[in-house]
Amino acid sequence: MLYQETKKYDEISRKAFRSGPEIVGKSGIETAPFLAEFVRMTSNMYRLGWDERNGGNLSYLLEEAEVRDYPELSHPKRRISLGFCVPELKGRMLLVTGTQKYFKNMERDPETNTGIIRICENGEEADVLWGFRDGGRPTSELPSHLMSHVARLSVNPANKVVLHSHPTNLLAMNYVHPLDENQLTHTLWQMCTECIVVFPEGIGVLPWMLCGTSEIGRATAEKMKEFRVVVWGMHGVYGAGNTFDEAFGLVETIEKAAQIYMLTAHLKQINTIRDDQMRELAEFFGVTYRKGILKE
Ligand code: 2HA
Ligand code: ZN
Protein backbone atom coordinates (compact mmCIF):
# COMPACT_ATOMS: atom_id res chain seq x y z
CA MET A 1 0.00 0.00 0.00
CA LEU A 2 1.31 3.47 -0.85
CA TYR A 3 1.93 5.79 2.06
CA GLN A 4 -0.98 8.07 1.05
CA GLU A 5 -3.32 5.10 0.73
CA THR A 6 -2.23 3.71 4.11
CA LYS A 7 -2.88 7.07 5.71
CA LYS A 8 -6.34 7.25 4.17
CA TYR A 9 -7.09 3.68 5.23
CA ASP A 10 -5.92 4.40 8.78
CA GLU A 11 -8.13 7.46 8.89
CA ILE A 12 -11.18 5.48 7.79
CA SER A 13 -10.55 2.65 10.22
CA ARG A 14 -9.90 5.10 13.07
CA LYS A 15 -13.23 6.78 12.34
CA ALA A 16 -14.96 3.42 12.15
CA PHE A 17 -13.44 2.35 15.44
CA ARG A 18 -14.50 5.55 17.16
CA SER A 19 -18.07 5.76 15.94
CA GLY A 20 -18.97 2.29 14.71
CA PRO A 21 -18.56 0.85 11.22
CA GLU A 22 -21.89 2.29 10.08
CA ILE A 23 -20.38 5.73 9.40
CA VAL A 24 -17.98 4.49 6.71
CA GLY A 25 -19.33 5.35 3.27
CA LYS A 26 -22.03 7.62 4.66
CA SER A 27 -22.26 11.37 4.68
CA GLY A 28 -24.18 14.21 6.29
CA ILE A 29 -26.77 13.44 8.91
CA GLU A 30 -26.20 9.69 8.51
CA THR A 31 -22.86 10.15 10.30
CA ALA A 32 -24.43 11.91 13.31
CA PRO A 33 -23.63 10.19 16.63
CA PHE A 34 -27.20 10.70 17.88
CA LEU A 35 -28.58 8.89 14.81
CA ALA A 36 -26.17 5.98 15.31
CA GLU A 37 -27.26 5.66 18.94
CA PHE A 38 -30.95 5.94 18.00
CA VAL A 39 -30.60 3.18 15.40
CA ARG A 40 -28.59 0.98 17.79
CA MET A 41 -31.27 1.33 20.43
CA THR A 42 -34.19 0.44 18.13
CA SER A 43 -32.21 -2.53 16.79
CA ASN A 44 -31.53 -3.77 20.32
CA MET A 45 -35.19 -3.43 21.21
CA TYR A 46 -36.14 -5.40 18.11
CA ARG A 47 -33.65 -8.17 18.90
CA LEU A 48 -34.94 -8.38 22.47
CA GLY A 49 -38.35 -9.18 20.98
CA TRP A 50 -39.97 -6.09 22.44
CA ASP A 51 -40.92 -4.48 19.12
CA GLU A 52 -42.55 -6.90 16.73
CA ARG A 53 -43.73 -5.70 13.31
CA ASN A 54 -44.32 -1.92 13.58
CA GLY A 55 -44.62 -2.07 17.37
CA GLY A 56 -42.87 0.58 19.43
CA ASN A 57 -41.62 4.08 18.73
CA LEU A 58 -38.78 6.32 19.85
CA SER A 59 -38.23 10.08 19.96
CA TYR A 60 -35.17 12.17 20.78
CA LEU A 61 -35.22 15.89 21.45
CA LEU A 62 -32.33 17.52 19.56
CA GLU A 63 -30.26 20.46 20.76
CA GLU A 64 -29.18 23.15 18.26
CA ALA A 65 -25.53 22.32 19.01
CA GLU A 66 -26.04 18.70 17.93
CA VAL A 67 -27.28 19.62 14.46
CA ARG A 68 -25.03 22.64 13.69
CA ASP A 69 -22.81 20.54 11.43
CA TYR A 70 -25.64 19.35 9.20
CA PRO A 71 -26.67 22.20 6.85
CA GLU A 72 -29.14 19.92 5.05
CA LEU A 73 -31.45 20.40 8.06
CA SER A 74 -31.95 24.10 7.25
CA HIS A 75 -34.14 23.31 4.23
CA PRO A 76 -37.58 22.01 5.31
CA LYS A 77 -38.92 19.45 2.85
CA ARG A 78 -42.62 19.59 3.68
CA ARG A 79 -45.03 20.60 6.42
CA ILE A 80 -47.31 18.19 8.26
CA SER A 81 -50.23 18.80 10.55
CA LEU A 82 -49.96 17.24 14.03
CA GLY A 83 -53.67 17.03 14.89
CA PHE A 84 -52.96 18.39 18.37
CA CYS A 85 -51.16 21.38 19.82
CA VAL A 86 -47.84 21.50 21.69
CA PRO A 87 -46.92 25.21 21.92
CA GLU A 88 -44.34 24.31 24.62
CA LEU A 89 -42.18 22.63 21.95
CA LYS A 90 -42.36 25.29 19.24
CA GLY A 91 -39.07 25.59 17.40
CA ARG A 92 -37.77 22.33 18.90
CA MET A 93 -36.40 19.54 16.71
CA LEU A 94 -36.97 15.84 17.28
CA LEU A 95 -35.66 12.68 15.70
CA VAL A 96 -38.57 10.25 15.68
CA THR A 97 -39.50 6.85 14.24
CA GLY A 98 -41.99 6.70 11.37
CA THR A 99 -45.54 5.41 11.46
CA GLN A 100 -45.97 1.85 10.15
CA LYS A 101 -42.19 1.39 10.15
CA TYR A 102 -40.46 -1.66 11.59
CA PHE A 103 -37.63 -1.42 14.15
CA LYS A 104 -36.25 -4.47 12.32
CA ASN A 105 -35.44 -2.30 9.28
CA MET A 106 -33.99 0.70 11.09
CA GLU A 107 -30.31 -0.23 10.65
CA ARG A 108 -30.69 -0.84 6.93
CA ASP A 109 -32.45 2.41 6.05
CA PRO A 110 -32.74 5.08 8.75
CA GLU A 111 -33.65 7.77 6.22
CA THR A 112 -36.91 5.99 5.37
CA ASN A 113 -37.75 4.63 8.80
CA THR A 114 -37.07 7.77 10.85
CA GLY A 115 -37.11 11.51 10.36
CA ILE A 116 -36.23 14.84 11.94
CA ILE A 117 -39.06 17.31 12.46
CA ARG A 118 -39.18 20.85 13.80
CA ILE A 119 -42.34 21.96 15.60
CA CYS A 120 -43.75 25.12 13.97
CA GLU A 121 -44.49 28.40 15.76
CA ASN A 122 -48.23 27.55 15.93
CA GLY A 123 -47.47 24.31 17.83
CA GLU A 124 -49.93 22.48 15.55
CA GLU A 125 -47.70 21.64 12.60
CA ALA A 126 -44.17 20.43 12.02
CA ASP A 127 -41.63 20.76 9.23
CA VAL A 128 -39.93 17.60 8.02
CA LEU A 129 -36.21 18.47 7.84
CA TRP A 130 -34.81 15.05 7.00
CA GLY A 131 -35.97 11.46 6.60
CA PHE A 132 -39.40 9.89 6.02
CA ARG A 133 -37.97 9.53 2.51
CA ASP A 134 -40.93 7.58 1.16
CA GLY A 135 -43.36 10.37 2.06
CA GLY A 136 -44.03 8.85 5.49
CA ARG A 137 -45.03 10.54 8.71
CA PRO A 138 -43.90 10.38 12.33
CA THR A 139 -45.27 7.63 14.59
CA SER A 140 -49.01 7.41 15.25
CA GLU A 141 -48.06 7.79 18.91
CA LEU A 142 -46.65 11.29 18.34
CA PRO A 143 -49.22 12.85 20.76
CA SER A 144 -47.97 10.66 23.63
CA HIS A 145 -44.33 11.32 22.72
CA LEU A 146 -44.58 15.09 22.42
CA MET A 147 -46.86 15.51 25.43
CA SER A 148 -44.56 13.24 27.47
CA HIS A 149 -41.54 15.35 26.46
CA VAL A 150 -43.39 18.46 27.66
CA ALA A 151 -44.33 16.75 30.95
CA ARG A 152 -40.82 15.42 31.62
CA LEU A 153 -39.19 18.76 30.71
CA SER A 154 -41.48 20.49 33.23
CA VAL A 155 -39.93 18.43 36.03
CA ASN A 156 -36.51 17.68 34.48
CA PRO A 157 -35.16 20.08 31.82
CA ALA A 158 -32.45 17.55 30.88
CA ASN A 159 -34.89 14.90 29.58
CA LYS A 160 -34.31 14.07 25.92
CA VAL A 161 -35.61 10.56 25.20
CA VAL A 162 -39.11 9.07 25.19
CA LEU A 163 -39.63 5.47 24.14
CA HIS A 164 -42.62 3.23 23.68
CA SER A 165 -42.27 -0.53 23.50
CA HIS A 166 -44.03 -3.87 24.07
CA PRO A 167 -41.62 -5.75 26.39
CA THR A 168 -42.78 -9.37 26.52
CA ASN A 169 -42.69 -10.20 30.23
CA LEU A 170 -44.02 -6.87 31.42
CA LEU A 171 -46.91 -7.30 29.01
CA ALA A 172 -47.51 -10.90 30.15
CA MET A 173 -47.54 -9.70 33.76
CA ASN A 174 -50.37 -7.27 32.92
CA TYR A 175 -52.68 -10.27 32.49
CA VAL A 176 -52.00 -11.94 35.82
CA HIS A 177 -51.11 -9.12 38.23
CA PRO A 178 -53.38 -6.31 39.47
CA LEU A 179 -52.84 -3.14 37.41
CA ASP A 180 -52.51 -1.05 40.53
CA GLU A 181 -49.57 1.37 40.66
CA ASN A 182 -48.53 0.60 44.24
CA GLN A 183 -49.00 -3.15 43.98
CA LEU A 184 -47.20 -3.41 40.64
CA THR A 185 -44.34 -1.23 41.86
CA HIS A 186 -43.99 -3.29 45.05
CA THR A 187 -43.90 -6.59 43.14
CA LEU A 188 -41.32 -5.30 40.66
CA TRP A 189 -39.14 -3.81 43.44
CA GLN A 190 -39.16 -7.25 45.07
CA MET A 191 -38.00 -9.08 41.95
CA CYS A 192 -34.46 -7.62 41.61
CA THR A 193 -32.28 -6.07 44.27
CA GLU A 194 -31.48 -2.99 42.14
CA CYS A 195 -35.09 -2.14 41.26
CA ILE A 196 -35.83 0.26 44.11
CA VAL A 197 -32.58 2.08 43.33
CA VAL A 198 -33.21 2.27 39.56
CA PHE A 199 -36.85 3.45 39.75
CA PRO A 200 -37.43 4.67 43.31
CA GLU A 201 -40.39 6.79 42.17
CA GLY A 202 -42.21 3.57 41.15
CA ILE A 203 -44.12 3.12 37.93
CA GLY A 204 -47.28 4.78 36.68
CA VAL A 205 -50.09 2.64 35.29
CA LEU A 206 -52.87 3.49 32.84
CA PRO A 207 -55.79 1.15 32.21
CA TRP A 208 -56.27 -0.18 28.69
CA MET A 209 -57.03 2.79 26.46
CA LEU A 210 -57.32 3.35 22.73
CA CYS A 211 -53.79 4.02 21.44
CA GLY A 212 -52.66 6.60 18.88
CA THR A 213 -54.96 9.30 20.30
CA SER A 214 -54.47 12.66 22.02
CA GLU A 215 -56.47 11.30 25.01
CA ILE A 216 -53.92 8.59 25.77
CA GLY A 217 -51.22 11.21 25.10
CA ARG A 218 -52.64 13.53 27.76
CA ALA A 219 -53.12 10.67 30.25
CA THR A 220 -49.52 9.46 29.68
CA ALA A 221 -48.13 12.96 30.06
CA GLU A 222 -50.04 13.46 33.33
CA LYS A 223 -48.35 10.32 34.71
CA MET A 224 -44.97 11.39 33.28
CA LYS A 225 -44.93 14.36 35.67
CA GLU A 226 -44.53 11.83 38.49
CA PHE A 227 -42.95 8.78 36.87
CA ARG A 228 -40.33 8.10 34.18
CA VAL A 229 -42.08 4.83 33.33
CA VAL A 230 -45.77 4.43 32.53
CA VAL A 231 -47.37 1.07 31.80
CA TRP A 232 -50.14 1.11 29.22
CA GLY A 233 -52.44 -1.66 30.45
CA MET A 234 -52.38 -4.74 28.18
CA HIS A 235 -50.38 -2.82 25.56
CA GLY A 236 -46.84 -1.88 26.60
CA VAL A 237 -44.76 0.75 28.28
CA TYR A 238 -43.52 4.33 27.98
CA GLY A 239 -40.11 5.26 29.33
CA ALA A 240 -38.17 8.52 29.53
CA GLY A 241 -34.61 9.56 30.28
CA ASN A 242 -31.86 12.11 29.77
CA THR A 243 -29.95 9.75 27.47
CA PHE A 244 -30.72 6.73 25.29
CA ASP A 245 -28.90 4.53 27.80
CA GLU A 246 -30.89 5.88 30.72
CA ALA A 247 -34.32 5.42 29.10
CA PHE A 248 -33.41 2.00 27.73
CA GLY A 249 -31.78 0.86 31.00
CA LEU A 250 -34.88 1.82 32.93
CA VAL A 251 -37.23 -0.23 30.78
CA GLU A 252 -34.67 -3.05 30.57
CA THR A 253 -34.54 -3.26 34.37
CA ILE A 254 -38.33 -3.32 34.67
CA GLU A 255 -38.61 -5.96 31.96
CA LYS A 256 -36.00 -8.09 33.79
CA ALA A 257 -37.99 -7.79 37.03
CA ALA A 258 -41.17 -8.76 35.16
CA GLN A 259 -39.34 -11.76 33.69
CA ILE A 260 -38.32 -12.95 37.16
CA TYR A 261 -41.94 -12.56 38.22
CA MET A 262 -43.23 -14.55 35.24
CA LEU A 263 -40.66 -17.28 35.87
CA THR A 264 -41.62 -17.65 39.51
CA ALA A 265 -45.23 -16.49 40.03
CA HIS A 266 -46.65 -20.00 39.51
CA LEU A 267 -44.09 -21.66 41.81
CA LYS A 268 -44.06 -21.93 45.59
CA GLN A 269 -42.18 -18.88 46.78
CA ILE A 270 -39.88 -19.58 49.71
CA ASN A 271 -37.69 -16.45 49.67
CA THR A 272 -38.25 -12.77 49.04
CA ILE A 273 -36.62 -9.35 49.41
CA ARG A 274 -38.36 -7.96 52.49
CA ASP A 275 -39.58 -4.36 52.83
CA ASP A 276 -36.98 -3.60 55.51
CA GLN A 277 -34.25 -4.82 53.14
CA MET A 278 -35.57 -2.59 50.35
CA ARG A 279 -35.53 0.33 52.77
CA GLU A 280 -31.95 -0.55 53.68
CA LEU A 281 -31.02 -0.51 49.96
CA ALA A 282 -32.68 2.87 49.38
CA GLU A 283 -30.94 4.38 52.38
CA PHE A 284 -27.54 2.94 51.40
CA PHE A 285 -27.80 4.24 47.82
CA GLY A 286 -29.31 7.54 48.95
CA VAL A 287 -32.51 7.39 46.87
CA THR A 288 -35.87 8.83 47.89
CA TYR A 289 -38.45 6.15 47.25
CA ARG A 290 -42.18 6.56 46.79
CA LYS A 291 -44.04 6.43 50.09
CA GLY A 292 -47.07 4.22 50.70
CA ILE A 293 -45.57 1.15 49.02
CA LEU A 294 -43.29 -0.38 51.67
CA LYS A 295 -44.80 -1.29 55.05
CA GLU A 296 -43.55 1.24 57.61
O1 2HA B 1 -46.67 2.36 16.57
O2 2HA B 1 -46.70 0.45 19.16
O3 2HA B 1 -48.81 1.80 20.01
C1 2HA B 1 -46.91 1.09 16.95
C2 2HA B 1 -47.36 1.02 18.34
C3 2HA B 1 -48.63 1.68 18.66
ZN1 ZN C 1 -47.64 0.12 21.04
Side-chain angles (χ1 to χ4, degrees), residues 51-52 54-57 98-101 139-141 164-166 211-212 232 235 238:
D51 297 281
E52 71 292 338
N54 63 321
N57 21 80
T99 185
Q100 289 301 322
K101 297 296 188 268
T139 168
S140 58
E141 302 295 3
H164 167 60
S165 184
H166 306 158
C211 57
W232 277 11
H235 179 141
Y238 264 75

PDB file of all heavy atoms in Angstrom, residues 51-52 54-57 98-101 139-141 164-166 211-212 232 235 238, ligand 1:
ATOM      1  N   ASP A  51     -40.298  -5.334  20.145  1.00  0.00           N
ATOM      2  CA  ASP A  51     -40.920  -4.484  19.118  1.00  0.00           C
ATOM      3  C   ASP A  51     -41.162  -5.235  17.823  1.00  0.00           C
ATOM      4  O   ASP A  51     -40.487  -5.042  16.822  1.00  0.00           O
ATOM      5  CB  ASP A  51     -40.075  -3.221  18.913  1.00  0.00           C
ATOM      6  CG  ASP A  51     -40.051  -2.403  20.179  1.00  0.00           C
ATOM      7  OD1 ASP A  51     -41.030  -1.695  20.442  1.00  0.00           O
ATOM      8  OD2 ASP A  51     -39.072  -2.536  20.949  1.00  0.00           O
ATOM      9  N   GLU A  52     -42.151  -6.112  17.897  1.00  0.00           N
ATOM     10  CA  GLU A  52     -42.554  -6.904  16.734  1.00  0.00           C
ATOM     11  C   GLU A  52     -43.183  -5.998  15.673  1.00  0.00           C
ATOM     12  O   GLU A  52     -43.752  -4.965  15.973  1.00  0.00           O
ATOM     13  CB  GLU A  52     -43.555  -7.984  17.173  1.00  0.00           C
ATOM     14  CG  GLU A  52     -44.944  -7.470  17.557  1.00  0.00           C
ATOM     15  CD  GLU A  52     -45.011  -6.622  18.825  1.00  0.00           C
ATOM     16  OE1 GLU A  52     -44.106  -6.722  19.665  1.00  0.00           O
ATOM     17  OE2 GLU A  52     -45.974  -5.841  18.962  1.00  0.00           O
ATOM     18  N   ASN A  54     -44.530  -3.372  13.452  1.00  0.00           N
ATOM     19  CA  ASN A  54     -44.315  -1.921  13.581  1.00  0.00           C
ATOM     20  C   ASN A  54     -44.470  -1.465  15.032  1.00  0.00           C
ATOM     21  O   ASN A  54     -44.646  -0.280  15.293  1.00  0.00           O
ATOM     22  CB  ASN A  54     -45.295  -1.151  12.686  1.00  0.00           C
ATOM     23  CG  ASN A  54     -46.735  -1.382  13.107  1.00  0.00           C
ATOM     24  OD1 ASN A  54     -47.091  -2.499  13.476  1.00  0.00           O
ATOM     25  ND2 ASN A  54     -47.553  -0.352  13.073  1.00  0.00           N
ATOM     26  N   GLY A  55     -44.418  -2.411  15.958  1.00  0.00           N
ATOM     27  CA  GLY A  55     -44.616  -2.073  17.374  1.00  0.00           C
ATOM     28  C   GLY A  55     -43.483  -1.205  17.903  1.00  0.00           C
ATOM     29  O   GLY A  55     -42.324  -1.395  17.551  1.00  0.00           O
ATOM     30  N   GLY A  56     -43.849  -0.262  18.751  1.00  0.00           N
ATOM     31  CA  GLY A  56     -42.872   0.583  19.428  1.00  0.00           C
ATOM     32  C   GLY A  56     -42.527   1.829  18.641  1.00  0.00           C
ATOM     33  O   GLY A  56     -42.710   1.890  17.424  1.00  0.00           O
ATOM     34  N   ASN A  57     -42.065   2.829  19.351  1.00  0.00           N
ATOM     35  CA  ASN A  57     -41.615   4.075  18.730  1.00  0.00           C
ATOM     36  C   ASN A  57     -40.657   4.791  19.668  1.00  0.00           C
ATOM     37  O   ASN A  57     -40.663   4.527  20.872  1.00  0.00           O
ATOM     38  CB  ASN A  57     -42.805   4.977  18.337  1.00  0.00           C
ATOM     39  CG  ASN A  57     -44.068   4.644  19.090  1.00  0.00           C
ATOM     40  OD1 ASN A  57     -44.219   5.058  20.237  1.00  0.00           O
ATOM     41  ND2 ASN A  57     -44.953   3.848  18.496  1.00  0.00           N
ATOM     42  N   GLY A  98     -40.872   6.471  12.283  1.00  0.00           N
ATOM     43  CA  GLY A  98     -41.988   6.703  11.370  1.00  0.00           C
ATOM     44  C   GLY A  98     -43.167   5.782  11.649  1.00  0.00           C
ATOM     45  O   GLY A  98     -43.000   4.669  12.165  1.00  0.00           O
ATOM     46  N   THR A  99     -44.352   6.246  11.284  1.00  0.00           N
ATOM     47  CA  THR A  99     -45.536   5.406  11.460  1.00  0.00           C
ATOM     48  C   THR A  99     -45.491   4.234  10.476  1.00  0.00           C
ATOM     49  O   THR A  99     -45.023   4.381   9.339  1.00  0.00           O
ATOM     50  CB  THR A  99     -46.847   6.229  11.285  1.00  0.00           C
ATOM     51  OG1 THR A  99     -47.950   5.380  11.574  1.00  0.00           O
ATOM     52  CG2 THR A  99     -47.007   6.796   9.886  1.00  0.00           C
ATOM     53  N   GLN A 100     -45.944   3.083  10.951  1.00  0.00           N
ATOM     54  CA  GLN A 100     -45.975   1.846  10.147  1.00  0.00           C
ATOM     55  C   GLN A 100     -44.574   1.329   9.796  1.00  0.00           C
ATOM     56  O   GLN A 100     -44.430   0.452   8.953  1.00  0.00           O
ATOM     57  CB  GLN A 100     -46.788   2.046   8.853  1.00  0.00           C
ATOM     58  CG  GLN A 100     -48.286   2.174   9.087  1.00  0.00           C
ATOM     59  CD  GLN A 100     -48.878   0.945   9.775  1.00  0.00           C
ATOM     60  OE1 GLN A 100     -48.486  -0.189   9.505  1.00  0.00           O
ATOM     61  NE2 GLN A 100     -49.790   1.170  10.705  1.00  0.00           N
ATOM     62  N   LYS A 101     -43.548   1.851  10.442  1.00  0.00           N
ATOM     63  CA  LYS A 101     -42.191   1.393  10.149  1.00  0.00           C
ATOM     64  C   LYS A 101     -41.763   0.351  11.186  1.00  0.00           C
ATOM     65  O   LYS A 101     -42.219   0.373  12.326  1.00  0.00           O
ATOM     66  CB  LYS A 101     -41.219   2.576  10.163  1.00  0.00           C
ATOM     67  CG  LYS A 101     -41.537   3.599   9.076  1.00  0.00           C
ATOM     68  CD  LYS A 101     -41.358   2.985   7.706  1.00  0.00           C
ATOM     69  CE  LYS A 101     -41.470   3.978   6.576  1.00  0.00           C
ATOM     70  NZ  LYS A 101     -42.824   4.108   6.012  1.00  0.00           N
ATOM     71  N   THR A 139     -44.456   8.642  13.901  1.00  0.00           N
ATOM     72  CA  THR A 139     -45.269   7.634  14.587  1.00  0.00           C
ATOM     73  C   THR A 139     -46.699   8.086  14.904  1.00  0.00           C
ATOM     74  O   THR A 139     -46.922   9.258  15.246  1.00  0.00           O
ATOM     75  CB  THR A 139     -44.580   7.212  15.899  1.00  0.00           C
ATOM     76  OG1 THR A 139     -45.490   6.467  16.677  1.00  0.00           O
ATOM     77  CG2 THR A 139     -44.109   8.397  16.733  1.00  0.00           C
ATOM     78  N   SER A 140     -47.617   7.125  14.870  1.00  0.00           N
ATOM     79  CA  SER A 140     -49.006   7.411  15.248  1.00  0.00           C
ATOM     80  C   SER A 140     -49.100   7.795  16.720  1.00  0.00           C
ATOM     81  O   SER A 140     -50.102   8.345  17.166  1.00  0.00           O
ATOM     82  CB  SER A 140     -49.878   6.175  14.984  1.00  0.00           C
ATOM     83  OG  SER A 140     -49.366   5.076  15.729  1.00  0.00           O
ATOM     84  N   GLU A 141     -48.058   7.454  17.480  1.00  0.00           N
ATOM     85  CA  GLU A 141     -48.058   7.789  18.912  1.00  0.00           C
ATOM     86  C   GLU A 141     -47.372   9.132  19.184  1.00  0.00           C
ATOM     87  O   GLU A 141     -46.953   9.399  20.315  1.00  0.00           O
ATOM     88  CB  GLU A 141     -47.376   6.677  19.731  1.00  0.00           C
ATOM     89  CG  GLU A 141     -47.995   5.300  19.599  1.00  0.00           C
ATOM     90  CD  GLU A 141     -49.423   5.189  20.143  1.00  0.00           C
ATOM     91  OE1 GLU A 141     -49.983   6.203  20.587  1.00  0.00           O
ATOM     92  OE2 GLU A 141     -49.957   4.067  20.097  1.00  0.00           O
ATOM     93  N   HIS A 164     -41.445   4.086  23.474  1.00  0.00           N
ATOM     94  CA  HIS A 164     -42.617   3.235  23.676  1.00  0.00           C
ATOM     95  C   HIS A 164     -42.274   1.866  23.129  1.00  0.00           C
ATOM     96  O   HIS A 164     -41.662   1.743  22.071  1.00  0.00           O
ATOM     97  CB  HIS A 164     -43.838   3.808  22.966  1.00  0.00           C
ATOM     98  CG  HIS A 164     -44.971   2.831  22.869  1.00  0.00           C
ATOM     99  ND1 HIS A 164     -45.572   2.288  23.989  1.00  0.00           N
ATOM    100  CD2 HIS A 164     -45.604   2.272  21.815  1.00  0.00           C
ATOM    101  CE1 HIS A 164     -46.521   1.445  23.605  1.00  0.00           C
ATOM    102  NE2 HIS A 164     -46.547   1.411  22.287  1.00  0.00           N
ATOM    103  N   SER A 165     -42.651   0.814  23.890  1.00  0.00           N
ATOM    104  CA  SER A 165     -42.271  -0.529  23.497  1.00  0.00           C
ATOM    105  C   SER A 165     -43.264  -1.540  24.065  1.00  0.00           C
ATOM    106  O   SER A 165     -44.110  -1.186  24.894  1.00  0.00           O
ATOM    107  CB  SER A 165     -40.846  -0.792  24.033  1.00  0.00           C
ATOM    108  OG  SER A 165     -40.388  -2.033  23.598  1.00  0.00           O
ATOM    109  N   HIS A 166     -43.140  -2.795  23.606  1.00  0.00           N
ATOM    110  CA  HIS A 166     -44.028  -3.869  24.066  1.00  0.00           C
ATOM    111  C   HIS A 166     -43.192  -4.983  24.712  1.00  0.00           C
ATOM    112  O   HIS A 166     -43.181  -6.115  24.200  1.00  0.00           O
ATOM    113  CB  HIS A 166     -44.817  -4.466  22.879  1.00  0.00           C
ATOM    114  CG  HIS A 166     -45.587  -3.466  22.067  1.00  0.00           C
ATOM    115  ND1 HIS A 166     -45.977  -3.697  20.763  1.00  0.00           N
ATOM    116  CD2 HIS A 166     -46.066  -2.230  22.376  1.00  0.00           C
ATOM    117  CE1 HIS A 166     -46.653  -2.650  20.304  1.00  0.00           C
ATOM    118  NE2 HIS A 166     -46.708  -1.739  21.262  1.00  0.00           N
ATOM    119  N   CYS A 211     -55.103   3.407  21.686  1.00  0.00           N
ATOM    120  CA  CYS A 211     -53.791   4.016  21.438  1.00  0.00           C
ATOM    121  C   CYS A 211     -53.827   4.930  20.218  1.00  0.00           C
ATOM    122  O   CYS A 211     -54.809   4.962  19.492  1.00  0.00           O
ATOM    123  CB  CYS A 211     -52.735   2.932  21.283  1.00  0.00           C
ATOM    124  SG  CYS A 211     -53.104   1.749  19.985  1.00  0.00           S
ATOM    125  N   GLY A 212     -52.775   5.722  20.043  1.00  0.00           N
ATOM    126  CA  GLY A 212     -52.662   6.603  18.883  1.00  0.00           C
ATOM    127  C   GLY A 212     -53.531   7.847  18.976  1.00  0.00           C
ATOM    128  O   GLY A 212     -53.738   8.542  17.980  1.00  0.00           O
ATOM    129  N   TRP A 232     -48.848   1.034  29.899  1.00  0.00           N
ATOM    130  CA  TRP A 232     -50.145   1.113  29.218  1.00  0.00           C
ATOM    131  C   TRP A 232     -50.770  -0.267  29.358  1.00  0.00           C
ATOM    132  O   TRP A 232     -50.281  -1.234  28.750  1.00  0.00           O
ATOM    133  CB  TRP A 232     -49.955   1.412  27.731  1.00  0.00           C
ATOM    134  CG  TRP A 232     -49.761   2.861  27.360  1.00  0.00           C
ATOM    135  CD1 TRP A 232     -49.532   3.904  28.201  1.00  0.00           C
ATOM    136  CD2 TRP A 232     -49.775   3.399  26.028  1.00  0.00           C
ATOM    137  NE1 TRP A 232     -49.407   5.067  27.490  1.00  0.00           N
ATOM    138  CE2 TRP A 232     -49.553   4.779  26.151  1.00  0.00           C
ATOM    139  CE3 TRP A 232     -49.959   2.858  24.764  1.00  0.00           C
ATOM    140  CZ2 TRP A 232     -49.507   5.618  25.042  1.00  0.00           C
ATOM    141  CZ3 TRP A 232     -49.905   3.690  23.667  1.00  0.00           C
ATOM    142  CH2 TRP A 232     -49.692   5.065  23.793  1.00  0.00           C
ATOM    143  N   HIS A 235     -50.927  -3.318  26.840  1.00  0.00           N
ATOM    144  CA  HIS A 235     -50.375  -2.815  25.564  1.00  0.00           C
ATOM    145  C   HIS A 235     -48.848  -2.747  25.616  1.00  0.00           C
ATOM    146  O   HIS A 235     -48.179  -3.329  24.771  1.00  0.00           O
ATOM    147  CB  HIS A 235     -50.978  -1.432  25.246  1.00  0.00           C
ATOM    148  CG  HIS A 235     -50.443  -0.829  23.975  1.00  0.00           C
ATOM    149  ND1 HIS A 235     -51.221  -0.123  23.093  1.00  0.00           N
ATOM    150  CD2 HIS A 235     -49.198  -0.820  23.428  1.00  0.00           C
ATOM    151  CE1 HIS A 235     -50.494   0.277  22.056  1.00  0.00           C
ATOM    152  NE2 HIS A 235     -49.254  -0.132  22.246  1.00  0.00           N
ATOM    153  N   TYR A 238     -44.215   3.098  28.363  1.00  0.00           N
ATOM    154  CA  TYR A 238     -43.517   4.325  27.977  1.00  0.00           C
ATOM    155  C   TYR A 238     -42.385   4.539  28.955  1.00  0.00           C
ATOM    156  O   TYR A 238     -42.556   4.309  30.154  1.00  0.00           O
ATOM    157  CB  TYR A 238     -44.475   5.536  28.014  1.00  0.00           C
ATOM    158  CG  TYR A 238     -45.031   5.824  26.649  1.00  0.00           C
ATOM    159  CD1 TYR A 238     -46.017   5.015  26.112  1.00  0.00           C
ATOM    160  CD2 TYR A 238     -44.514   6.858  25.868  1.00  0.00           C
ATOM    161  CE1 TYR A 238     -46.479   5.227  24.826  1.00  0.00           C
ATOM    162  CE2 TYR A 238     -44.983   7.086  24.582  1.00  0.00           C
ATOM    163  CZ  TYR A 238     -45.956   6.265  24.073  1.00  0.00           C
ATOM    164  OH  TYR A 238     -46.403   6.468  22.797  1.00  0.00           O
TER     165      TYR A 238
HETATM  166  O1  2HA B   1     -46.665   2.361  16.567  1.00  0.00           O
HETATM  167  O2  2HA B   1     -46.704   0.449  19.161  1.00  0.00           O
HETATM  168  O3  2HA B   1     -48.810   1.803  20.009  1.00  0.00           O
HETATM  169  C1  2HA B   1     -46.911   1.091  16.953  1.00  0.00           C
HETATM  170  C2  2HA B   1     -47.360   1.018  18.339  1.00  0.00           C
HETATM  171  C3  2HA B   1     -48.633   1.681  18.662  1.00  0.00           C
END
